[in-house]
Amino acid sequence: MADQDAGRLRELAEAPVWKLLIKYSLPAVIGTVVTALYNIIDSIVIGHAIPDPNVVAGIAVTFPVMTLATALGMLIGAGAATRASIVLGQKDIHMAEIILGNSVQLTVIIGILYASCFAIFVDPILTVFGASPATLPYAREFILWALPGMVLINLTFSYNNVMRASGYPGKAMLTNIFGAVLNAILAPLFLFGFHWGIRGAAIATDISMLCTAIWVMSHFFNKKNTLHFVRGTFKFNWRVIRSVLYIGMAPFLINVCGSVINAIINNSLLKYGGDNAIAAVVVFNRFVTIFVFVVIGICQGMQPILGYNYGSGKYDRLFRTLRLAAVSGLTITTIGCIVGRLIPETIASMFMTDPEQIKVAVKCLQITTISFWMVGFQIVATNFFQSLGMAGKAVFLSLTRQIIFMIPCLFILPPVFGLEGVWSSFPIADTLATIVSAGMLIWQIRHIKRSEKTAPAATGA
């Protein structure tokens, strides 16, 4: 390995953890926030470019489909990034190359399969996810034009994580910035300039994702980089595939559950509040996405540090990184909670112009953000287990909020409290999931410390 590449890996083991977390998280935060701007820009532009209020609700019912596509991409990409970090910590470069070669093929194959299925069954899928006769035409048009970009999004963001994990956080950040800037230019041009309607936003995203996918893949074809495509590593290794899928199962299930939950929420909203209530979900989702993606960026920066030092047995550095990430995540979502409760009308007006829709969206934000301040800690805790390859525990924590707590709330509260019962399900599930996450995290930390005492490992500065 070149001296520069060895230096990148040595840095993960020896540099002060706060400097490492800033170095790796700052580019990741910028990248993930910029990523969030893809959908936020589309929603703002569409909400103001197309006067029909049903278009906002139409976009909302496409969220579960987009989330499901993301889940299938993360199944491979997140598992590949985590496994690559751990084996790099064990100084096994060849295994990291095998992981890369196997994973990129799986991503493309799965992407083609799900895009084909969505295209064939688009109307039944959107109806299940809450589309009404008034919103289905908008949802169908958007999703059909967005399908090519969904495959490219998985390829881009999944291997952007691998790029970051192998020691290139700055370059990973530039990938997302490049794509978001291009999308921010093309979306208004296609909607306001060319008058392409809702399909214009989808086409803008497709083009942006094509360019960023080419950029990301070119990194791994460059033999000068730490981790790159090597002949002989593309042959399917089922042991490697199983390990990648095992770790990737946590973010996969998070997103699958998110898709199922969105479908249940949309149908509950349609029943108790109509299309305007579904449109309010756009405002809530887009607003909290900014803060959640900042925390996810922190977790992405945390992941290679945790994975490498866990693989190297440097547990003191592991715990310091976790503490810094947890405090940072909690701070970010606390800010989001305060903003959402102070200026809900201003936030809603960014995405919609209809006064009745804005009124419903304001009520939604006032209730759903009550416990949002806890979410940052819960995300960090889940990613801690994933970063250490403890997929079973990460999967369990992923399920607590959305399946164990959210679904029962959605079935129990709305029949009693109506639309406010749907909104109230969010803070209740957030609170209960955070309590469970804190308990599991404390137990795991104590377990690792006990293991360290029985088998002392070297610790870094």
Side-chain angles (χ1 to χ4, degrees):
M1 186 191 299
D3 291 341
Q4 185 178 12
D5 295 336
R8 287 193 179 97
L9 298 181
R10 186 168 58 249
E11 177 184 57
L12 289 169
E14 298 176 1
V17 293
W18 67 269
K19 288 185 178 180
L20 274 179
L21 192 60
I22 292 174
K23 178 178 179 179
Y24 277 77
S25 291
L26 185 58
V29 166
I30 294 172
T32 53
V33 169
V34 168
T35 299
L37 292 177
Y38 275 102
N39 291 328
I40 292 173
I41 290 169
D42 284 349
S43 297
I44 292 174
V45 172
I46 290 171
H48 289 272
I50 304 175
D52 188 346
N54 288 319
V55 72
V56 181
I59 292 297
V61 299
T62 68
F63 292 165
V65 181
M66 305 291 280
T67 302
L68 193 56
T70 301
L72 291 165
M74 292 299 289
L75 176 63
I76 309 301
T82 300
R83 282 297 302 154
S85 290
I86 292 173
V87 299
L88 286 172
Q90 296 167 344
K91 309 297 189 294
D92 192 345
I93 304 298
H94 181 63
M95 179 54 69
E97 292 168 345
I98 294 175
I99 291 169
L100 178 67
N102 277 241
S103 299
V104 72
Q105 293 182 89
L106 286 174
T107 300
V108 173
I109 292 170
I110 291 175
I112 293 173
L113 288 175
Y114 77 65
S116 301
C117 290
F118 287 162
I120 295 171
F121 302 106
V122 61
D123 280 12
I125 291 173
L126 291 172
T127 301
V128 168
F129 288 151
S132 69
T135 60
L136 181 59
Y138 291 115
R140 181 198 304 119
E141 182 178 8
F142 181 81
I143 206 67
L144 287 176
W145 282 98
L147 280 175
M150 289 160 65
V151 179
L152 295 168
I153 283 173
N154 285 345
L155 199 62
T156 298
F157 294 147
S158 294
Y159 294 91
N160 217 27
N161 290 338
V162 178
M163 184 190 298
R164 183 182 301 106
S166 59
Y168 297 86
K171 193 171 184 180
M173 174 190 69
L174 291 176
T175 304
N176 292 332
I177 292 177
F178 168 61
V181 169
L182 185 58
N183 188 63
I185 295 171
L186 294 180
L189 175 64
F190 292 166
L191 271 83
F192 291 107
F194 295 170
H195 304 289
W196 284 357
I198 199 170
R199 73 180 185 275
I203 294 172
T205 300
D206 292 343
I207 295 174
S208 301
M209 283 296 100
L210 174 62
C211 294
T212 52
I214 293 172
W215 165 271
V216 171
M217 288 298 102
S218 68
H219 170 88
F220 293 106
F221 279 103
N222 188 341
K223 295 182 179 180
K224 295 180 180 179
N225 293 325
T226 304
L227 191 59
H228 56 269
F229 295 125
V230 176
R231 183 178 298 178
T233 59
F234 293 96
K235 182 180 179 181
F236 279 145
N237 183 316
W238 297 109
R239 180 170 169 269
V240 167
I241 291 172
R242 282 195 299 270
S243 69
V244 167
L245 294 177
Y246 178 71
I247 296 174
M249 192 60 65
F252 169 73
L253 288 177
I254 290 174
N255 284 282
V256 168
C257 291
S259 183
V260 172
I261 291 296
N262 280 335
I264 296 173
I265 290 172
N266 285 346
N267 282 280
S268 296
L269 294 173
L270 189 61
K271 179 179 180 180
Y272 294 100
D275 289 328
N276 282 348
I278 293 180
V281 172
V282 176
V283 177
F284 169 72
N285 281 335
R286 295 318 191 213
F287 170 69
V288 300
T289 292
I290 298 173
F291 300 95
V292 168
F293 271 43
V294 172
V295 180
I296 290 174
I298 292 171
C299 290
Q300 288 180 352
M302 171 186 77
Q303 182 267 319
I305 305 170
L306 292 182
Y308 190 95
N309 285 284
Y310 183 69
S312 301
K314 298 178 181 293
Y315 299 131
D316 181 56
R317 295 173 59 79
L318 183 84
F319 296 138
R320 279 184 279 156
T321 303
L322 173 63
R323 284 194 297 270
L324 287 170
V327 170
S328 301
L330 195 61
T331 302
I332 296 301
T333 48
T334 299
I335 294 171
C337 176
I338 294 170
V339 173
R341 296 185 59 76
L342 286 180
I343 54 170
E345 188 169 354
T346 302
I347 296 167
S349 299
M350 293 175 60
F351 297 92
M352 49 184 58
T353 57
D354 183 77
E356 190 59 33
Q357 282 188 339
I358 292 174
K359 182 179 178 181
V360 176
V362 167
K363 187 66 175 179
C364 168
L365 283 170
Q366 288 174 334
I367 297 176
T368 53
T369 56
I370 290 173
S371 298
F372 182 66
W373 62 275
M374 304 178 181
V375 171
F377 174 82
Q378 206 264 340
I379 295 173
V380 172
T382 301
N383 278 270
F384 172 78
F385 289 104
Q386 180 187 323
S387 297
L388 303 192
M390 300 176 183
K393 293 173 183 177
V395 168
F396 174 76
L397 289 181
S398 304
L399 296 177
T400 53
R401 179 187 182 273
Q402 303 190 80
I403 298 296
I404 298 175
F405 299 130
M406 179 70 85
I407 288 182
C409 286
L410 288 171
F411 282 108
I412 294 170
L413 298 180
V416 179
F417 301 104
L419 182 58
E420 291 191 6
V422 182
W423 304 141
S424 299
S425 301
F426 288 80
I428 292 173
D430 288 338
T431 301
L432 295 174
T434 301
I435 293 171
V436 173
S437 299
M440 283 190 62
L441 188 62
I442 292 170
W443 181 90
Q444 188 63 53
I445 290 172
R446 289 175 177 173
H447 177 73
I448 293 174
K449 286 182 176 179
R450 285 195 298 268
S451 301
E452 184 180 19
K453 289 179 181 178
T454 57
T459 58

